[in-house]
Amino acid sequence: MALLPADALSEHIRTAWPSVRTVVRITREREHIRAGRPVKRETETVYLITSLAQPTPEYILRLNRKHWQVETMHRDKDVILGEDRYTNRSDNAPRNIFSLTSAARTLLKRISKSPTRAIETVQENRQKAIRFISDPNKNAFL
């Protein structure tokens, strides 16, 4: 990770974005694993722009990880549970859908780290799923 302070930014960037204080370059390496074996490696470089004057690298990485935790939650709720496909926008419907998909995601995450795998597990044994929901200890899938 490399931090570039505001005084090192070009005049054009300082004029276009006067609130920019730091530009951060992060290089990520990711390994795709299938059936316990690495099948592909990826390296990507991303740039983060912030108004923080002198952030530490640890602080920037912590913020970045929190951001991706939120993105992962939204992905689960949208892609897996289809939250964005709901079209009823009247009264409390959007809030209710948000609450229901949040509760469903929480339950699925208690069954498996992967919501997709949890859905497959629930589909294979619906009685177990009913016991899981009604069991205060949530032990049905253990």
Side-chain angles (χ1 to χ4, degrees):
M1 180 168 78
L3 298 174
L4 184 63
D7 58 351
L9 298 175
S10 73
E11 183 64 34
H12 174 72
I13 290 176
R14 284 191 299 228
T15 302
W17 293 319
S19 63
V20 171
R21 297 290 175 262
T22 307
V23 176
V24 180
R25 182 183 69 215
I26 298 177
T27 301
R28 300 180 182 136
E29 292 183 6
R30 189 167 93 176
E31 191 172 65
H32 297 267
I33 298 176
R34 300 285 182 262
R37 296 176 185 225
V39 294
K40 180 179 171 185
R41 271 187 97 90
E42 290 179 332
T43 300
E44 73 174 344
T45 300
V46 296
Y47 295 89
L48 310 176
I49 300 171
T50 178
S51 60
L52 298 171
Q54 294 179 333
T56 65
E58 294 79 15
Y59 185 71
I60 290 290
L61 288 174
R62 196 167 43 250
L63 287 177
N64 192 43
R65 286 187 183 111
K66 285 181 182 181
H67 165 78
W68 285 109
Q69 287 173 339
V70 171
E71 288 297 320
T72 299
M73 179 202 58
H74 284 293
R75 181 199 167 275
D76 289 349
K77 290 176 72 182
D78 182 31
V79 174
I80 296 169
L81 300 173
E83 186 178 64
D84 286 353
R85 288 191 302 264
Y86 293 104
T87 57
N88 188 342
R89 303 282 186 243
S90 61
D91 302 322
N92 290 320
R95 184 173 289 135
N96 293 340
I97 292 299
F98 176 85
S99 297
L100 289 170
T101 55
S102 294
R105 182 181 180 273
T106 299
L107 287 171
L108 292 171
K109 288 291 215 174
R110 288 183 181 170
I111 295 169
S112 172
K113 283 185 177 182
S114 164
T116 304
R117 196 165 297 128
I119 290 170
E120 291 167 355
T121 303
V122 169
Q123 288 174 335
E124 290 170 5
N125 192 333
R126 292 179 188 221
Q127 289 298 11
K128 234 181 190 181
I130 292 168
R131 282 196 311 274
F132 178 76
I133 291 171
S134 60
D135 178 9
N137 297 320
K138 307 292 184 251
N139 292 323
F141 286 98
L142 300 179

